């Protein structure tokens, strides 16, 4: 999925709610310039920022995800990360399943917290997970679950892609 499609959806939702970039920035803690760049397809958005934006707009983050063709999957290889919505179009579920692919060396981002719980299951590769400054490495077929109110983030510190399932509750 291109960052441009996320930007188009973001802009449409923001305008429907009669929010300015400034007011959305205040609600999310994300800069006005960053939001503008995302809306124009000039900047990629992390799941962390997307979650903050979705919360501020009072929507399920899956609204930003569309069905992916094989072409989109090939294009995503060039991106550092790729998110695939696994919710089957159900927007009012009490949890959000997403398949995440992080390319080698993807270690940018800041720890964040949100309501609910989060479950991670590694399908391929090695995922580094930090929860409340406690670092853990998960290999294939390993999982963890934690209180998402604790600050957390995940990284790919290896030289191979990592694919994992994230299930977040609301």
């Amino acid at each position: 999925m291109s960052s441009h499609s996320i930007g188009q959806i973001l802009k449409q939702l923001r305008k429907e709610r009669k929010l300015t970039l400034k007011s959305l920035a205040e609600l999310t803690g994300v800069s006005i310039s960053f939001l503008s760049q995302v809306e124009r397809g000039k900047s990629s958005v992390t799941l962390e920022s997307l979650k903050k934006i979705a919360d501020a707009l009072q929507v399920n983050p899956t609204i930003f995800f569309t069905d992916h063709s094989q072409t989109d999957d090939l294009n995503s290889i060039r991106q550092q990360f790729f998110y695939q919505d696994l919710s089957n179009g159900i927007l009012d579920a009490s949890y959000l399943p997403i398949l995440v692919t992080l390319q080698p060396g993807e270690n940018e981002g800041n720890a964040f917290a949100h309501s609910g719980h989060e479950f991670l299951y590694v399908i391929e590769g090695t995922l580094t997970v930090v929860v409340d400054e406690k670092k853990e490495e998960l290999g294939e077929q390993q999982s963890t679950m934690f209180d998402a109110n604790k600050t957390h983030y995940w990284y790919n510190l290896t030289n191979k892609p990592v694919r994992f399932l994230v299930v977040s509750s609301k």
Side-chain angles (χ1 to χ4, degrees), residues 76-145:
S76 73
I77 291 170
R78 294 185 209 111
Q79 298 175 1
Q80 283 296 95
F81 57 87
F82 175 70
Y83 303 116
Q84 181 180 359
D85 173 28
L86 301 177
S87 69
N88 202 25
I90 299 171
L91 299 178
D92 59 350
S94 58
Y95 58 90
L96 169 64
I98 298 175
L99 178 63
V100 180
T101 302
L102 294 179
Q103 295 302 318
E106 175 58 30
N107 57 9
E108 295 182 16
N110 298 309
F112 64 105
H114 53 87
S115 62
H117 292 87
E118 194 155 293
F119 171 79
L120 306 175
Y121 178 83
V122 178
I123 298 167
E124 176 184 342
T126 302
L127 181 68
T128 302
V129 181
V130 179
V131 179
D132 263 355
E133 299 182 18
K134 181 183 173 200
K135 186 185 208 179
E136 176 181 14
E137 285 196 358
L138 299 175
E140 291 180 13
Q141 299 185 14
Q142 290 185 318
S143 65
T144 189
M145 186 168 170

Side-chain angles (χ1 to χ4, degrees), residues 66 77 125 153 163:
T66 58
I77 291 170
Y153 207 71
R163 291 182 44 198

